[in-house]
Amino acid sequence: MVTNHDEAAAVRPLTLAWVSRHLEAGERIVGTQALHGGITAEMRRLTIGRRDGGTRDLVLRSFVNVEHAEDRLHREAGALTLLTETGVPAPGLVAVDPTAAYCEYPSLLMTHLAGRTVLDDEGLETHVPLLARQLVAIHAVRPAVRPRKYVALTTAETVVIPKGVDVAVWTAAIDVIRKPAPPYEGRFLHRDFQPGNVLFDVPPSRPAGARITGVVDWAAASWGPTDLDVAHCSTTLALLHGPAWDLRFAEAYEDAGGVPAATASERLYWRVRSGLAFSEEVRLVSQPWREAGRTELTTRAVEERLDAYVTALMDALV
């Protein structure tokens, strides 16, 4: 009998059969639990009963009515396979069904990593350097076959200007991304590297001894400028914890040996692009933050932080 921790954890029959075919001899699924915090995929932890009476955990990732699911799962499977040969703590690939040939929806099965996401303000002084060092390690990966080039989906036409802001400031910011992207030397990118996709082990008795145990969600892995990843994480930190952490992360990345764009204006280009990209998905990104306990981060509150962030970037450009 499979035990579901809640109704949302139930695995659909075809997917259940597919997972079972990829277990070791004598193993079976004995429990499922919904994992919350994701935006694009249904995530479930599967408890697997072993022949010796013990258990192990796997994670099932299913894309339900998600655009480009096949491409995203191909990229994630490729990234997870690549990363097994590196020191980057990513899940191990067990199986993938990118076209839903066997499952109800495009799905990926991977190993479960210990740890938890940390989205509150406590411990930032310790966590930000760890995040920076981890991102430097990701950018140091040299794949034999490059993943596809990054895609910047945000355009001048797709930016959503929040209500009540200085439209002139936002218009100037939009004009920045009308310009061609600065030249760059390509690197392996995560493309959604931010605290919500990083797992920590934080000893209760010694928070300063925190360490990163995993980096998840590799569905957008790409080849492109390191500043894309740095700016994305910087913007996320600014919205979660305040604008000072934008620069703190960028500085920590350089201190850890990361190589950003050569000039301040080039680095600002990527930060402006990242800030404007968040304008299209404030509601989407803030919901899992509230579910994780940051209840004060309403959609409106995050919009106000984003406006302050974009304004500060434009002040820096003057």
Side-chain angles (χ1 to χ4, degrees):
M1 178 180 177
V2 177
T3 301
N4 293 328
H5 288 240
D6 53 59
E7 188 176 345
V11 180
R12 296 169 181 86
L14 291 176
T15 304
L16 198 64
W18 175 76
V19 170
S20 297
R21 289 197 295 273
H22 290 92
L23 301 180
E24 297 176 9
E27 291 188 331
R28 60 191 181 92
I29 303 169
V30 297
T32 65
Q33 180 182 6
L35 299 175
H36 301 288
I39 295 175
T40 57
E42 288 185 358
M43 304 288 293
R44 296 176 180 85
R45 182 167 65 186
L46 310 181
T47 302
I48 310 301
R50 308 179 69 117
R51 292 180 64 179
D52 61 7
T55 62
R56 67 185 179 108
D57 289 333
L58 297 176
V59 173
L60 174 67
R61 179 175 170 90
S62 298
F63 284 139
V64 180
N65 300 322
V66 174
E67 197 174 5
H68 308 304
E70 180 179 352
D71 172 67
R72 291 171 67 84
L73 286 180
H74 273 304
R75 278 200 280 168
E76 182 150 32
L80 297 186
T81 301
L82 164 69
L83 293 167
T84 58
E85 303 170 3
T86 72
V88 176
L93 177 67
V94 177
V96 63
D97 180 15
T99 62
Y102 307 100
C103 304
E104 282 84 354
Y105 301 105
S107 299
L108 183 142
L109 187 65
M110 56 191 150
T111 58
H112 176 266
L113 298 177
R116 62 182 178 87
T117 57
V118 180
L119 301 181
D120 53 33
D121 293 334
E122 187 176 357
L124 272 174
E125 293 284 353
T126 298
H127 298 168
V128 164
L130 293 176
L131 288 168
R133 286 198 292 272
Q134 185 61 74
L135 188 55
V136 170
I138 291 169
H139 292 163
V141 172
R142 297 291 183 266
V145 179
R146 291 181 183 179
R148 82 173 196 185
K149 180 184 174 182
Y150 80 93
V151 176
L153 297 177
T154 300
T155 69
E157 288 67 41
T158 60
V159 173
V160 179
I161 300 179
K163 295 179 181 178
V165 304
D166 187 331
V167 175
V169 171
W170 278 74
T171 300
I174 292 169
D175 285 342
V176 170
I177 68 168
R178 293 185 195 276
K179 301 171 185 175
Y184 65 88
E185 183 178 352
R187 290 287 185 269
F188 179 70
L189 307 179
H190 182 282
R191 278 298 271 135
D192 190 15
F193 185 84
Q194 42 88 10
N197 284 330
V198 178
L199 304 176
F200 284 89
D201 172 39
V202 184
S205 59
R206 196 168 61 88
R211 64 186 181 92
I212 290 175
T213 58
V215 182
V216 299
D217 192 355
W218 293 88
S222 311
W223 188 261
T226 59
D227 287 84
L228 263 176
D229 273 350
V230 175
H232 182 71
C233 190
S234 295
T235 307
T236 305
L237 289 168
L239 298 183
L240 276 169
H241 309 295
W245 292 99
D246 161 49
L247 282 176
R248 294 283 290 277
F249 179 74
E251 291 167 355
Y253 177 80
E254 289 193 64
D255 289 344
V259 181
T263 68
S265 62
E266 289 173 340
R267 296 191 290 274
L268 272 168
Y269 171 90
W270 297 110
R271 290 164 67 198
V272 170
R273 174 169 283 286
S274 176
L276 295 181
F278 270 83
S279 76
E280 302 171 39
E281 50 191 27
V282 169
R283 188 179 302 277
L284 278 176
V285 299
S286 60
Q287 181 178 338
W289 295 348
R290 291 191 296 276
E291 291 173 352
R294 296 296 304 274
T295 55
E296 80 282 11
L297 294 179
T298 63
T299 299
R300 183 58 187 155
V302 176
E303 282 181 341
E304 290 172 351
R305 285 193 174 188
L306 180 59
D307 176 43
Y309 179 68
V310 170
T311 300
L313 291 179
M314 297 312 296
D315 286 344
L317 271 176
V318 174

